[in-house]
Coordinates of all heavy atoms in Angstrom, one line a residue:
S120 N -29.5 19.9 -10.5 CA -29.5 20.2 -9.1 C -28.2 20.8 -8.6 O -27.2 20.8 -9.3 CB -29.7 18.8 -8.3 OG -28.6 18.0 -8.5
T121 N -28.3 21.4 -7.4 CA -27.1 22.0 -6.8 C -27.0 21.3 -5.4 O -28.0 21.1 -4.7 CB -27.2 23.5 -6.6 OG1 -26.1 24.0 -5.9 CG2 -28.5 23.9 -6.0
P122 N -25.7 21.1 -4.9 CA -25.6 20.5 -3.6 C -25.6 21.5 -2.5 O -25.4 21.1 -1.3 CB -24.2 19.9 -3.7 CG -23.4 20.8 -4.7 CD -24.5 21.2 -5.7
L123 N -25.8 22.8 -2.8 CA -25.7 23.9 -1.7 C -27.1 24.5 -1.5 O -27.8 24.8 -2.5 CB -24.7 24.9 -2.2 CG -23.3 24.5 -2.3 CD1 -22.5 25.7 -3.0 CD2 -22.7 24.1 -1.0
H124 N -27.4 24.6 -0.2 CA -28.8 25.1 0.1 C -28.7 26.0 1.4 O -27.8 25.9 2.2 CB -29.7 23.9 0.5 CG -29.5 22.8 -0.5 ND1 -30.1 22.7 -1.7 CD2 -28.8 21.6 -0.4 CE1 -29.8 21.6 -2.3 NE2 -29.0 20.9 -1.5
R125 N -29.7 26.9 1.4 CA -29.9 27.7 2.6 C -31.4 27.9 2.8 O -32.2 27.5 2.0 CB -29.2 29.1 2.5 CG -29.6 29.9 1.3 CD -28.8 31.2 1.3 NE -29.1 32.0 0.0 CZ -28.6 33.2 -0.2 NH1 -27.8 33.8 0.7 NH2 -28.9 33.8 -1.4
E126 N -31.8 28.5 3.9 CA -33.2 28.6 4.3 C -34.0 29.3 3.2 O -35.2 29.0 3.0 CB -33.3 29.3 5.6 CG -32.8 28.5 6.8 CD -33.0 29.2 8.2 OE1 -33.6 30.3 8.1 OE2 -32.7 28.6 9.2
T127 N -33.4 30.3 2.6 CA -34.1 31.0 1.6 C -34.1 30.4 0.2 O -34.7 30.9 -0.8 CB -33.6 32.5 1.5 OG1 -32.2 32.4 1.2 CG2 -33.8 33.2 2.8
G128 N -33.4 29.2 0.0 CA -33.4 28.6 -1.3 C -32.1 28.0 -1.6 O -31.1 28.1 -0.8
D129 N -32.0 27.4 -2.8 CA -30.7 26.8 -3.3 C -29.7 27.9 -3.6 O -30.1 29.0 -4.0 CB -31.0 25.9 -4.5 CG -31.8 24.7 -4.1 OD1 -31.8 24.3 -2.9 OD2 -32.4 24.1 -5.1
V130 N -28.5 27.5 -3.5 CA -27.3 28.3 -4.0 C -26.6 27.5 -5.0 O -26.3 26.3 -4.9 CB -26.4 28.6 -2.8 CG1 -25.1 29.3 -3.3 CG2 -27.1 29.5 -1.8
H131 N -26.2 28.2 -6.1 CA -25.5 27.5 -7.2 C -24.1 27.1 -6.7 O -23.4 27.9 -6.1 CB -25.4 28.4 -8.4 CG -26.7 28.8 -9.0 ND1 -27.4 27.9 -9.8 CD2 -27.5 29.9 -8.9 CE1 -28.6 28.4 -10.2 NE2 -28.7 29.6 -9.6
G132 N -23.8 25.9 -7.1 CA -22.5 25.3 -6.6 C -21.8 24.5 -7.8 O -22.0 24.8 -8.9
V133 N -21.0 23.6 -7.4 CA -20.1 22.8 -8.3 C -19.5 23.7 -9.4 O -19.4 23.3 -10.5 CB -20.8 21.6 -8.9 CG1 -21.1 20.6 -7.8 CG2 -22.2 21.9 -9.6
F134 N -19.1 24.9 -9.0 CA -18.3 25.7 -10.0 C -17.0 25.0 -10.3 O -16.3 24.7 -9.4 CB -18.1 27.1 -9.3 CG -17.3 28.1 -10.2 CD1 -17.8 28.5 -11.4 CD2 -16.1 28.6 -9.8 CE1 -17.1 29.4 -12.2 CE2 -15.4 29.4 -10.6 CZ -15.9 29.9 -11.8
F135 N -16.7 24.8 -11.5 CA -15.6 24.0 -11.9 C -15.6 22.7 -11.2 O -14.5 22.1 -10.9 CB -14.3 24.7 -11.7 CG -13.8 25.6 -12.8 CD1 -14.5 26.8 -13.1 CD2 -12.8 25.2 -13.6 CE1 -14.1 27.6 -14.2 CE2 -12.4 26.0 -14.7 CZ -13.1 27.2 -15.0
G136 N -16.8 22.2 -11.0 CA -16.9 20.9 -10.3 C -16.5 20.9 -8.8 O -16.2 19.8 -8.3
Q137 N -16.4 22.0 -8.2 CA -15.9 22.1 -6.8 C -16.5 23.2 -5.9 O -16.8 22.9 -4.8 CB -14.4 22.1 -6.8 CG -13.8 23.3 -7.6 CD -12.3 23.2 -7.6 OE1 -11.6 23.6 -6.7 NE2 -11.7 22.8 -8.8
S138 N -16.5 24.4 -6.4 CA -16.9 25.6 -5.5 C -16.1 25.6 -4.3 O -16.5 25.3 -3.1 CB -18.4 25.5 -5.2 OG -19.2 25.8 -6.3
A139 N -14.8 25.9 -4.5 CA -13.8 25.7 -3.4 C -13.7 26.8 -2.4 O -12.9 26.8 -1.5 CB -12.4 25.5 -4.1
F140 N -14.5 27.9 -2.6 CA -14.5 29.0 -1.5 C -15.4 28.6 -0.4 O -16.4 29.2 -0.1 CB -14.9 30.3 -2.1 CG -13.9 30.9 -3.1 CD1 -14.3 32.0 -3.9 CD2 -12.6 30.6 -3.1 CE1 -13.4 32.6 -4.8 CE2 -11.6 31.2 -3.9 CZ -12.1 32.2 -4.8
A141 N -15.0 27.5 0.3 CA -15.8 27.0 1.4 C -14.9 26.0 2.2 O -13.9 25.5 1.6 CB -17.1 26.2 0.9
N142 N -15.3 25.8 3.4 CA -14.4 24.9 4.2 C -14.6 23.4 3.9 O -13.8 22.6 4.2 CB -14.6 25.1 5.7 CG -16.0 24.9 6.2 OD1 -16.9 24.9 5.4 ND2 -16.2 24.8 7.5

Side-chain angles (χ1 to χ4, degrees):
S120 67
T121 174
L123 297 173
H124 317 280
R125 57 181 173 178
E126 291 181 1
T127 55
D129 291 341
V130 172
H131 295 284
V133 291
F134 179 63
F135 272 73
Q137 55 184 282
S138 290
F140 288 164
N142 60 344

